[in-house]
Amino acid sequence: MKKLLLFSLLLSVTFSTTLEAQRRKSKAKQTEKTTPKSKKSKAPKYSDFVTKNTKTDEGLFKVHYLKDKYIYEIPKSYLGKEMLLVTRLKDIPSGLGGGYVNAGSKINTQVVVWEHFKNKILLKVKSYNAVANDSLPIFKSVKSNNLEPIIYSFDVKTQNTDSTAVLVDVTKFFSSDVKAISGLPSYFRRNYKVRRLDASRSFINTIKSYPKNIEVVQDFTFDADAPPSNQSTNTITMRINQSMILLPEQPMMPRIYDKRVGYFSVGNVDYSSEALKADDKRYIRRWRLEPKNMEAYKRGELVEPKKPIVYYLDPATPKKLRKFIKQGVDDWAKVFETAGFKNAIMAKMPPTKEEDPEFSMEDIRYSSIRYVASTTRNAMGPSVSDPRSGEIIESDIIWYHNHLRSYRNRYLLETGAANPSARTLDTPAEEIGEMMRMVISHEIGHALGLPHNMAASYAYPVDSLRSGSFTQKYGIAATIMDYARYNYVAQPGDKNIRFVRQLGPYDHYAINWGYRVIPNSNTPEGEVKTLNKWIEDKAGNPIYKFGFQRRGGFDPESQTEDIGNDHVKASSYGLKNLKIVAKNLPNWTSNQTNNYEDLSELYGEMMSVWSRYVGHVVSNVGGVFEYNKKPSQTGAVYIPMSKNKQKESIAWLHKNAFETQNWLLDKNILNKIDEAGYADFMLRYQNRFLSQLINTNKIKRMIDTETLNEKSYTAFEMMRDLRRGIFSEVNITKNLDVNRRNLQKAFIDRIGSLLEDKSAKNSDIISIVKGELSTLRYLVNNASKRGVDTITKYHYKDIVSRIDNFLENKK
């Protein structure tokens, strides 16, 4: 009975278990029937992006276009390769940048690399501010402390059929407001109150691929509350060009920068040095010129370069000006012969659509000279260079339409006394063309790597500038790269004078130094001995001196707009001529045109000419000559202007700047061009001269010079001589005119302001100023008691009050 019961129990359990299993199995089958099987996602194929309807442009990368999508097919061999990305303005609204920004202006230049990371392609900016040899351990630290920013991250869509390239969609990148490649820098955004890019009015215009570069044109429209033009639209629309060019696999061998010869430069901090600190390395910027026939070059024969420098003229250039622009470029060919190259540089008209339908002025493979329809009076010579070596890749000279008007005006004002053909508003076409030719030559010089050399105009003796034979051969300055535009020294009666600047001996010297190939020198360091010898062979000759351009500079030689090696003498000649021009200005302008617009414009510019001549003499006071040298050369680097020349300069300034210049206040001109403001006009310039003379930097420099040289012209002597000249009337009974009264007030305010200058605290400046103010207070107080007219007495009392205020506040 027990066995039967046990069997029944086991049978019951087994049956229940089997039944439950059958239920589960049935449920699983039911689930299988009701739940569809998941499909594996299908990977995108090349044919999904490149179809028979796709438009493909072959070049650096293949660019595919289909249904408003742009796809880059990036060869894997180009991943990690360095490329130069240049952002330019192709077309702009009127007034952008206040007139000094134009179509073709470069906004940004950066080295970029495309890198593969997981399933992404990263576009990164590469910096050359810090470098090290990649074989050294410190290279790892340089990389770690200079992490490269990522501009954009792209999804890898797929690969090409043989897996040698990856495909990325660049549509969003080029149709979005990506700050790193934006045509609107932050200062534009602030000034024009830009709010956002309007995507509905922005799009990719074209993307074209060439063998070594890709050119992208974007049409962007921004919402802006204060646009530069068409303000009622609250809109800025601009066309932007992005040029990406493959940099040379092997960088050009750089040439080490030397500040004794003028070149623009690129630099970095090199941590590979064995010294106790990183090396600051600088290389000059220059084009890659390599002889076609090196053996002939070594023999001293003139040899053509493998790749000459070619500039294309803008098709918008007026036909009558084209020959002068071309000459301005071609003139440099003779200079390059000094460096051993023939046919090294030339200008051409661009190919027609029939000759080359793909030609574009924005294509970074081509250098150009753009003719800009703008009222701005200027010209520029920018360039794009490889930061690894300084190799200039491309440049675009920019000429603004109205610039020749400035040259016509100054030609009349600065040379009209001695040059009959300048005495007109209708300057002869060939002479205008010669001016344009020389401006283009100047800008080409910049594009070749040469900065301004402001010492070159000081190289020639003043009286040589009155010689026809000298000026026709050597010009008016030793280089075209100085701001020496016209010969204002030549006097009426001087014969066969060259009045317009030209290329000079320094240009030949600098181009030879920067571009001549030095055979058997395989490293930059290996060239230094030869380069140094070329400099030292010319040392001491002012024709070959390079002088930096500095705002408010201290070197009397390195000034803008001056000519001749004696500013007092040259400016005296210049003012003698300008007084003749002033008398004849109405005859040469309004009497010919029957309106006063040109007379008004030229009178204002005549004041500026006077101001420049005066400014050249001001620079003598407290001036220190700078002679860049290496320790292997003898002599001091810094030498103060002689005491006698400084005292002579102060006396000249009293006569030609601070005394009322009645020849400039000609009523026959002033009552035709303005109803008021004459006194303020004169004072504005005299204030400028006072500020240039009485400033903390200049006075401190004079105090420092005094500690090194007992015979120097001291700061105390300068302040005393200024005070004696400007207040010369306090020792006699004489009424003061309004210009003289204004000048004296300005002098008190100027020296009094030094008492409030924190940088002058605890220096002799405070003592000198207090002493001069106290002396003046005594002299002016006595002068006010003499028999002068009422306004002069009031003026003297006002001077005493101003002095008291300064002295009381600084007790």
Side-chain angles (χ1 to χ4, degrees):
M1 187 66 182
K2 286 181 181 177
K3 289 181 180 179
L4 184 59
L5 185 61
L6 180 60
F7 176 75
S8 299
L9 184 60
L10 287 171
L11 186 61
S12 173
V13 171
T14 302
F15 179 76
S16 299
T17 304
T18 303
L19 186 62
E20 181 63 27
Q22 288 174 343
R23 282 181 186 150
R24 287 178 185 165
K25 191 174 181 180
S26 175
K27 190 174 182 181
K29 285 182 179 179
Q30 190 175 3
T31 303
E32 278 183 20
K33 289 179 181 178
T34 57
T35 305
K37 291 183 179 179
S38 61
K39 294 182 179 179
K40 289 185 179 180
S41 58
K42 185 182 176 183
K45 296 182 295 185
Y46 188 73
S47 59
D48 294 334
F49 300 97
V50 183
T51 70
K52 63 180 182 179
N53 296 319
T54 301
K55 294 180 179 179
T56 298
D57 195 16
E58 301 266 359
L60 179 67
F61 301 164
K62 288 182 180 178
V63 177
H64 305 295
Y65 175 68
L66 180 66
K67 296 179 180 179
D68 293 328
K69 295 288 185 183
Y70 287 91
I71 304 293
Y72 276 7
E73 184 175 325
I74 307 175
K76 290 180 180 179
S77 59
Y78 283 154
L79 295 175
K81 299 287 187 185
E82 294 170 333
M83 303 181 186
L84 205 62
L85 182 58
V86 182
T87 302
R88 298 180 190 277
L89 301 178
K90 181 174 172 63
D91 297 302
I92 60 172
S94 174
L96 188 74
Y100 285 91
V101 175
N102 55 270
S105 288
K106 180 178 63 177
I107 297 298
N108 195 13
T109 301
Q110 48 201 330
V111 177
V112 297
V113 291
W114 300 81
E115 288 189 358
H116 202 163
F117 176 73
K118 296 183 178 179
N119 200 37
K120 302 277 187 183
I121 294 294
L122 307 179
L123 184 60
K124 302 173 75 172
V125 175
K126 192 163 185 178
S127 171
Y128 277 89
N129 292 332
V131 297
N133 191 312
D134 59 10
S135 65
L136 298 176
I138 199 171
F139 177 75
K140 296 178 180 178
S141 179
V142 170
K143 292 287 287 182
S144 298
N145 288 283
N146 292 274
L147 187 62
E148 296 154 351
I150 299 169
I151 297 179
Y152 208 82
S153 172
F154 304 86
D155 292 327
V156 175
K157 297 299 183 183
T158 189
Q159 300 189 60
N160 64 350
T161 53
D162 61 1
S163 300
T164 60
V166 294
L167 274 65
V168 297
D169 187 341
V170 297
T171 311
K172 186 177 179 182
F173 175 60
F174 286 120
S175 57
S176 304
D177 187 12
V178 179
K179 298 296 191 294
I181 61 169
S182 172
L184 274 183
S186 57
Y187 57 91
F188 280 177
R189 294 172 187 265
R190 288 193 302 270
N191 290 349
Y192 303 130
K193 299 181 180 178
V194 174
R195 286 182 279 113
R196 69 183 183 95
L197 177 73
D198 185 349
S200 67
R201 294 181 287 165
S202 302
F203 46 87
I204 299 172
N205 190 303
T206 59
I207 300 183
K208 295 182 179 180
S209 190
Y210 300 97
K212 290 188 177 181
N213 59 303
I214 296 177
E215 303 294 324
V216 180
V217 177
Q218 307 155 288
D219 285 8
F220 276 178
T221 296
F222 296 89
D223 288 330
D225 292 333
S229 56
N230 298 307
Q231 296 195 355
S232 62
T233 65
N234 279 44
T235 293
I236 297 176
T237 296
M238 56 202 308
R239 186 163 288 164
I240 301 161
N241 191 97
Q242 308 289 349
S243 296
M244 187 180 71
I245 185 168
L246 181 67
L247 288 173
E249 186 76 23
Q250 181 63 43
M252 177 186 73
M253 189 179 85
R255 180 155 290 180
I256 293 174
Y257 169 81
D258 191 312
K259 67 180 180 179
R260 296 173 295 174
V261 183
Y263 269 90
F264 294 124
S265 62
V266 297
N268 56 49
V269 177
D270 190 346
Y271 289 89
S272 304
S273 172
E274 301 254 343
L276 298 179
K277 68 177 183 66
D279 282 342
D280 289 323
K281 288 191 173 179
R282 299 208 71 80
Y283 304 116
I284 68 170
R285 292 177 59 187
R286 57 177 180 157
W287 296 80
R288 187 190 292 226
L289 287 187
E290 300 169 327
K292 278 184 180 179
N293 186 335
M294 180 56 82
E295 293 307 313
Y297 188 87
K298 288 179 180 178
R299 292 194 299 268
E301 299 175 25
L302 288 180
V303 175
E304 289 187 343
K306 293 178 181 177
K307 183 181 179 183
I309 304 165
V310 179
Y311 281 89
Y312 290 95
L313 273 63
D314 192 333
T317 306
K319 290 183 178 180
K320 66 180 181 179
L321 299 176
R322 290 178 181 178
K323 71 172 184 177
F324 302 115
I325 295 176
K326 178 172 170 50
Q327 285 174 329
V329 180
D330 294 347
D331 284 343
W332 282 96
K334 192 70 178 174
V335 179
F336 273 100
E337 290 183 5
T338 306
F341 293 100
K342 66 179 180 181
N343 302 323
I345 184 171
M346 63 199 72
K348 296 180 178 180
M349 285 303 297
T352 63
K353 284 289 184 185
E354 293 72 26
E355 293 170 333
D356 185 356
E358 296 295 323
F359 181 86
S360 169
M361 296 287 279
E362 280 73 36
D363 188 337
I364 201 168
R365 293 178 299 167
Y366 304 116
S367 295
S368 64
I369 300 175
R370 293 177 174 273
Y371 195 95
V372 179
S374 169
T375 57
T376 300
R377 299 185 184 183
N378 199 14
M380 295 188 295
S383 61
V384 174
S385 61
D386 184 343
R388 304 171 303 174
S389 64
E391 178 186 355
I392 296 173
I393 304 294
E394 177 265 3
S395 83
D396 292 290
I397 308 303
I398 299 166
W399 175 276
Y400 295 87
H401 178 72
N402 276 19
H403 198 34
L404 279 176
R405 188 176 182 90
S406 295
Y407 278 83
R408 180 207 67 178
N409 289 357
R410 288 187 57 175
Y411 193 53
L412 184 154
L413 294 168
E414 296 183 28
T415 77
N419 179 14
S421 65
R423 301 166 189 167
T424 176
L425 297 175
D426 297 318
T427 312
E430 286 297 314
E431 293 180 38
I432 282 287
E434 179 70 2
M435 298 173 210
M436 186 178 202
R437 173 184 178 179
M438 293 306 144
V439 178
I440 294 296
S441 284
H442 177 94
E443 302 306 336
I444 288 291
H446 285 320
L448 294 174
L450 305 181
H452 291 139
N453 176 7
M454 294 309 181
S457 52
Y458 202 83
Y460 297 159
V462 171
D463 285 332
S464 294
L465 300 173
R466 297 188 60 188
S467 164
S469 58
F470 182 91
T471 57
Q472 292 296 341
K473 182 177 181 179
Y474 297 106
I476 61 174
T479 176
I480 194 74
M481 301 313 299
D482 202 323
Y483 275 169
R485 303 175 205 266
Y486 294 115
N487 186 346
Y488 58 79
V489 163
Q491 296 294 292
D494 293 343
K495 303 296 184 183
N496 194 32
I497 297 296
R498 181 170 179 88
F499 290 100
V500 180
R501 61 182 169 172
Q502 65 182 26
L503 287 153
Y506 173 86
D507 301 310
H508 290 260
Y509 162 71
I511 290 297
N512 182 73
W513 189 92
Y515 282 89
R516 177 170 285 279
V517 177
I518 302 175
N520 306 319
S521 291
N522 300 318
T523 66
E525 291 74 19
E527 295 184 330
V528 170
K529 184 177 180 180
T530 299
L531 295 171
N532 192 56
K533 183 178 186 305
W534 290 348
I535 295 173
E536 294 191 0
D537 284 347
K538 305 292 187 182
N541 188 333
I543 289 174
Y544 304 108
K545 178 184 175 182
F546 172 70
F548 292 103
Q549 180 182 8
R550 293 186 176 95
R551 187 177 295 276
F554 56 83
D555 186 349
E557 286 190 19
S558 297
Q559 292 193 73
T560 65
E561 318 290 351
D562 64 323
I563 56 173
N565 65 351
D566 184 333
H567 291 131
V568 170
K569 193 172 188 178
S571 290
S572 294
Y573 279 135
L575 288 184
K576 189 176 179 182
N577 284 337
L578 199 59
K579 289 174 182 178
I580 295 172
V581 171
K583 288 180 181 178
N584 289 280
L585 202 55
N587 292 332
W588 298 345
T589 58
S590 56
N591 291 0
Q592 304 299 318
T593 62
N594 200 31
N595 70 63
Y596 294 118
E597 291 178 8
D598 289 297
L599 177 62
S600 178
E601 180 179 324
L602 280 158
Y603 175 77
E605 292 193 28
M606 185 174 70
M607 292 290 289
S608 296
V609 173
W610 167 65
S611 175
R612 284 195 292 271
Y613 295 164
V614 172
H616 299 154
V617 178
V618 168
S619 73
N620 285 344
V621 183
V624 176
F625 296 107
E626 181 179 40
Y627 300 98
N628 290 312
K629 297 180 180 182
K630 287 195 173 181
S632 58
Q633 296 173 272
T634 59
V637 173
Y638 298 103
I639 300 175
M641 175 70 78
S642 72
K643 180 173 184 174
N644 288 340
K645 181 57 72 174
Q646 291 189 63
K647 287 184 72 66
E648 179 189 8
S649 298
I650 287 289
W652 188 95
L653 290 169
H654 281 306
K655 179 180 179 181
N656 295 287
F658 295 132
E659 287 182 12
T660 302
Q661 303 298 299
N662 290 313
W663 63 275
L664 285 171
L665 302 174
D666 186 344
K667 66 179 181 180
N668 292 321
I669 295 177
L670 295 178
N671 65 17
K672 307 293 194 309
I673 64 175
D674 213 333
E675 88 287 354
Y678 316 138
D680 286 344
F681 200 37
M682 176 67 69
L683 180 62
R684 184 163 69 246
Y685 287 99
Q686 290 178 327
N687 248 326
R688 182 185 300 170
F689 308 146
L690 288 174
S691 297
Q692 292 169 346
L693 285 165
I694 306 171
N695 66 77
T696 303
N697 288 337
K698 184 184 285 281
I699 297 173
K700 280 187 172 181
R701 188 163 64 246
M702 296 179 77
I703 291 171
D704 288 339
T705 301
E706 183 182 353
T707 63
L708 300 176
N709 183 358
E710 295 177 354
K711 297 180 180 180
S712 66
Y713 187 51
T714 67
F716 161 69
E717 289 174 306
M718 179 193 74
M719 294 291 279
R720 181 198 62 195
D721 291 346
L722 280 175
R723 183 254 303 164
R724 286 176 174 175
I726 291 173
F727 281 86
S728 59
E729 298 87 350
V730 296
N731 297 313
I732 57 176
T733 303
K734 184 178 181 180
N735 297 328
L736 304 179
D737 65 26
V738 62
N739 295 292
R740 196 66 173 170
R741 297 194 300 268
N742 287 346
L743 173 65
Q744 291 182 354
K745 291 185 182 77
F747 176 78
I748 295 299
D749 288 347
R750 184 65 206 160
I751 65 171
S753 69
L754 295 178
L755 297 175
E756 300 167 357
D757 188 339
K758 291 181 180 178
S759 64
K761 187 179 180 182
N762 298 326
S763 76
D764 279 351
I765 294 175
I766 303 299
S767 306
I768 294 169
V769 170
K770 283 185 175 181
E772 287 301 312
L773 287 175
S774 297
T775 300
L776 259 179
R777 188 188 187 286
Y778 173 78
L779 294 171
V780 170
N781 194 46
N782 287 342
S784 67
K785 299 173 184 176
R786 296 195 186 99
V788 293
D789 61 13
T790 302
I791 188 61
T792 302
K793 285 185 178 181
Y794 286 170
H795 164 70
Y796 281 147
K797 288 180 180 180
D798 181 34
I799 291 292
V800 170
S801 176
R802 289 172 186 242
I803 292 173
D804 286 343
N805 285 337
F806 279 121
L807 293 177
E808 284 295 321
N809 292 332
K810 282 295 173 182
K811 278 188 176 179

